[in-house]
Amino acid sequence: MVFIKGYYQFEKDLLTEYQDKTEEITSQLNLRLFKRVVFDNALSTLAFDYYQHIYNPNNKHVTKEKSPLSSLEYNTRYDGLLGYFQVDQDGNFNSPVWPDFIRDTHSLITAQDDDETIKRKSLVSKLYTITAKSNELKALINNRLSVNNEKFLLLSDVPGHLVFYRVVHVNNIQKLQGYVIDVSAYLNNQVKRMLTTVQFNNTIAITLKSTLTGSDKGYFIYQGNAQSQATITQATITQPMQLSSVYSQRAINSHELRWPFKDHQLTYSTSKFILPTAATYNLGLMMLLMLGIVIGCYGFYRLGVKQLKLAEQQLNFVSSVSHELKTPLTSIRMYSEMLKSGMVPSEQYKLDYYDFIHSESERLSRLIDNILQLSKLNQPQHSVEAHYTKLSILIDMIESKVSSLLIKSDFKINISSEFEQPERALLLVDLDAFSQVVINITDNAIKFFDSDKIQDYTRKKIDIHFKPDPKNKDFIVIEFRDYGDGISAEQERKIFELFYRGGSELTRSTQGTGIGLALVNELVLAQQGTIEAQRMSPGLSIKIRFKSKRQ
């Protein structure tokens, strides 16, 4: 919501900026058009004849010279200006570009005329034809120019043209002087010139139309670029559907022009707003901020879930450790009290009780060793000192360390090796840590072997196999394979997590605290090795890789 609101706010600010620019364009255009009329008021009344007589006070002579308005270039010095004309009280029409009076345009141009003459006659003919359409001008002539205005006024009854006129005295003769403007050409040129003075980031469509007729329309397409240069394309059409894509654009503003073009309107529109670079950066930063907030919230959520899960696991750990400590202690205490009181007369029973007490004591020792070892690994100052040890020594160590566990549970162990000379293969291990790893893996396999469900006693065995690592010759793989019930895919991913125990705590029947395999993982990593679990059919395979070298 913040991002969307920010985007629309930037778009609204851009629209306001564009509206201000269009108002400035229209204001400057009105001022320019008004100044054009005002400037022409300064034209000399004597300049509307082909020749003008200039009095020189120094020599008191009068010279006859061509009028500045007699130049064809001056009559068309800007787009839309068609030329200047003059009419006397009798209706005699002439122009500064042609010295003679004309009353019609028939046979005005002859075959003997040169190019210059043809141009002049064509211009005066065009001016005569346009002014002849003005009924207001005819009325002034019929009244013998009875009015007297030295400032230019407007005759607007000629479609598509503006006829400016003034009635003045020239050598004590009443004359009407004026000039003609093509509205469409004049306004199109002025609008195009004004558009070059502004800068838009978007492509802007400008429509110029008459509010009286609504037929003839001028279209301008403003296209800006990154170099702050604008391309302005102009098209005048008579079928509006040809620019339907322009009409469907978003409206920016609409302005009425002032006198003398007050019946014309400028409309500005665009297809869509292209935000400036600064706004884009701001929106991008806003998006990154919101993304950071979302990621942060998700991170806090995940951290909270993890902490809750860890708290639950720790609670289960405390409960299971309490149970694991209390159960053998209770049994040891009970049997030791029976032996102390002399309640066991049979020597065979005494031996069985002694064995039970010894077995439970070993179980307690393993549990306490695991907890102590785990606490040592969590201390920064603790380090496992690994040394290269012969493979043959490690094989003998495995047999000695797990023999009591195997005998008690009636399990068998099969140790094999792919090395012909085990005494020449060296593994980088810490002997105490390695022993702990072997004992924990073996104890875990025996503990989770469900003898009630598995009736095949040939599966009560553990295979330990040494082989070279096929991926890296500098490592040796030790595979521990049991043939119990195995684990699920979810347990395969979590089996080495601290305090993790598969199944429900409410229905659990197996012993354990959830730190055995987690401790194995930590000890293997401390010895610069790697460990992974793989589901088998049946059972589970745990593969450990240690660095090795050959003698």
Side-chain angles (χ1 to χ4, degrees):
M1 290 178 65
V2 173
F3 177 79
I4 294 174
K5 186 172 180 61
Y7 175 83
Y8 282 120
Q9 184 60 45
F10 277 121
E11 193 177 62
K12 182 179 178 181
D13 293 342
L14 187 61
L15 175 61
T16 302
E17 177 187 347
Y18 281 9
Q19 288 175 342
D20 292 341
K21 287 183 178 181
T22 57
E23 289 180 0
E24 181 65 21
I25 291 174
T26 307
S27 176
Q28 292 296 324
L29 182 60
N30 284 325
L31 181 60
R32 184 185 293 268
L33 297 177
F34 179 76
K35 284 181 177 180
R36 174 57 55 197
V37 179
V38 174
F39 290 160
D40 286 331
N41 285 326
L43 290 174
S44 172
T45 58
L46 301 176
F48 279 76
D49 289 319
Y50 185 79
Y51 293 104
Q52 62 179 2
H53 297 81
I54 302 176
Y55 174 74
N56 190 338
N58 294 327
N59 54 19
K60 298 182 179 181
H61 288 167
V62 177
T63 59
K64 183 180 180 181
E65 296 180 1
K66 286 185 178 181
S67 168
L69 300 185
S70 65
S71 170
L72 289 174
E73 289 75 14
Y74 191 86
N75 280 261
T76 57
R77 66 185 183 276
Y78 56 85
D79 288 349
L81 177 61
L82 299 183
Y84 295 87
F85 69 93
Q86 183 174 245
V87 182
D88 62 15
Q89 292 176 321
D90 299 325
N92 296 315
F93 183 93
N94 75 297
S95 172
V97 299
W98 187 247
D100 300 331
F101 293 116
I102 63 171
R103 288 189 174 276
D104 59 61
T105 58
H106 299 295
S107 303
L108 180 61
I109 300 176
T110 63
Q112 291 77 24
D113 295 335
D114 56 18
D115 292 341
E116 177 76 12
T117 303
I118 292 175
K119 290 180 180 179
R120 290 181 177 273
K121 287 184 177 182
S122 297
L123 178 55
V124 71
S125 176
K126 187 175 183 179
L127 292 172
Y128 179 82
T129 302
I130 293 173
T131 56
K133 297 178 181 179
S134 174
N135 294 325
E136 296 179 14
L137 180 58
K138 291 178 182 179
L140 289 172
I141 295 174
N142 292 336
N143 291 330
R144 297 190 62 79
L145 306 179
S146 57
V147 298
N148 185 15
N149 56 285
E150 295 182 355
K151 304 296 183 181
F152 280 102
L153 299 178
L154 177 62
L155 300 174
S156 56
D157 60 341
V158 182
H161 298 84
L162 294 179
V163 180
F164 291 89
Y165 77 97
R166 67 183 179 185
V167 179
V168 296
H169 288 85
V170 182
N171 298 325
N172 296 322
I173 300 175
Q174 197 89 333
K175 289 187 178 182
L176 183 147
Q177 297 175 344
Y179 58 93
V180 180
I181 287 181
D182 184 317
V183 175
S184 178
Y186 181 76
L187 286 180
N188 287 343
N189 176 258
Q190 295 299 321
V191 170
K192 191 172 182 179
R193 289 180 61 184
M194 288 303 302
L195 288 175
T196 59
T197 64
V198 295
Q199 176 66 32
F200 293 100
N201 295 325
N202 290 62
T203 297
I204 306 295
I206 301 95
T207 303
L208 173 64
K209 67 178 180 179
S210 172
T211 57
L212 296 178
T213 62
S215 57
D216 294 335
K217 298 180 180 179
Y219 297 94
F220 303 87
I221 306 299
Y222 176 103
Q223 294 176 306
N225 54 35
Q227 290 73 32
S228 298
Q229 297 177 350
T231 302
I232 301 172
T233 306
Q234 177 183 349
T236 303
I237 63 171
T238 56
Q239 297 181 2
M241 291 304 294
Q242 292 182 6
L243 290 180
S244 58
S245 60
V246 175
Y247 294 139
S248 64
Q249 294 176 341
R250 180 171 179 176
I252 298 176
N253 223 337
S254 181
H255 302 283
E256 299 282 347
L257 296 181
R258 297 176 184 173
W259 185 91
F261 304 100
K262 61 182 180 180
D263 59 342
H264 284 77
Q265 184 182 60
L266 280 175
T267 301
Y268 303 85
S269 59
T270 184
S271 58
K272 62 179 181 179
F273 287 116
I274 301 175
L275 298 182
T277 305
T280 304
Y281 285 155
N282 289 336
L283 288 175
L285 291 175
M286 189 183 299
M287 177 65 77
L288 290 176
L289 177 61
M290 288 189 292
L291 182 61
I293 292 174
V294 172
I295 293 176
C297 291
Y298 179 75
F300 281 119
Y301 166 75
R302 293 293 301 171
L303 181 61
V305 171
K306 186 176 181 180
Q307 291 299 320
L308 289 174
K309 185 178 180 181
L310 181 61
E312 181 182 2
Q313 291 176 341
Q314 290 175 337
L315 183 62
N316 293 334
F317 168 72
V318 172
S319 176
S320 61
V321 167
S322 300
H323 176 75
E324 290 292 313
L325 291 173
K326 186 176 181 180
T327 300
L329 283 174
T330 302
S331 300
I332 291 173
R333 182 177 179 180
M334 180 184 68
Y335 284 115
S336 61
E337 288 180 351
M338 292 175 62
L339 291 171
K340 181 180 178 180
S341 62
M343 294 175 60
V344 184
S346 172
E347 293 296 328
Q348 182 60 41
Y349 284 154
K350 290 182 181 180
L351 291 176
D352 292 340
Y353 290 170
Y354 290 145
D355 288 340
F356 182 83
I357 292 174
H358 181 266
S359 175
E360 291 299 298
S361 299
E362 287 185 334
R363 176 181 164 191
L364 282 174
S365 297
R366 288 195 300 272
L367 175 61
I368 294 172
D369 288 341
N370 282 343
I371 296 174
L372 293 176
Q373 188 69 42
L374 182 64
S375 64
K376 289 180 180 180
L377 288 175
N378 290 329
Q379 297 175 2
Q381 67 272 17
H382 177 80
S383 61
V384 174
E385 297 181 359
H387 302 281
Y388 282 101
T389 306
K390 293 182 180 179
L391 179 59
S392 57
I393 295 177
L394 296 179
I395 293 175
D396 293 339
M397 180 185 293
I398 291 173
E399 292 178 345
S400 63
K401 292 293 182 180
V402 301
S403 58
S404 60
L405 291 174
L406 298 172
I407 293 172
K408 176 185 175 182
S409 303
D410 196 21
F411 260 75
K412 294 182 180 180
I413 185 171
N414 300 316
I415 302 177
S416 60
S417 172
E418 295 184 8
F419 299 93
E420 296 181 357
Q421 297 178 318
E423 67 277 359
R424 298 181 64 86
L426 304 178
L427 273 71
L428 183 64
V429 297
D430 178 272
L431 293 181
D432 291 337
F434 183 79
S435 299
Q436 192 77 22
V437 168
V438 173
I439 292 172
N440 282 4
I441 293 177
T442 305
D443 182 61
N444 193 76
I446 294 173
K447 183 169 55 180
F448 285 94
F449 184 88
D450 192 347
S451 58
D452 294 334
K453 295 181 181 179
I454 303 175
Q455 302 298 327
D456 186 1
Y457 291 98
T458 60
R459 292 169 56 181
K460 297 185 68 173
K461 63 180 180 178
I462 299 174
D463 295 337
I464 303 178
H465 184 63
F466 293 83
K467 62 181 179 180
D469 188 347
K471 298 180 180 179
N472 192 334
K473 64 180 181 179
D474 295 329
F475 281 78
I476 287 179
V477 178
I478 307 177
E479 181 181 8
F480 295 82
R481 167 72 191 280
D482 65 59
Y483 297 87
D485 286 335
I487 58 176
S488 64
E490 181 183 4
Q491 292 173 326
E492 187 178 15
R493 295 192 302 268
K494 299 181 178 181
I495 193 172
F496 296 113
E497 291 182 5
L498 185 61
F499 305 140
Y500 175 76
R501 303 177 71 202
S504 172
E505 294 293 336
L506 298 177
T507 59
R508 188 179 315 283
S509 59
T510 57
Q511 302 172 350
T513 59
I515 64 174
L517 292 183
L519 179 60
V520 168
N521 181 55
E522 295 294 334
L523 290 173
V524 171
L525 294 177
Q527 298 174 87
Q528 304 178 39
T530 63
I531 186 171
E532 65 176 353
Q534 181 180 358
R535 290 182 296 158
M536 307 296 288
S537 180
L540 173 68
S541 171
I542 295 179
K543 297 178 181 179
I544 304 176
R545 294 175 177 84
F546 288 117
K547 287 185 177 181
S548 67
K549 66 179 182 178
R550 304 291 189 272
Q551 283 187 336

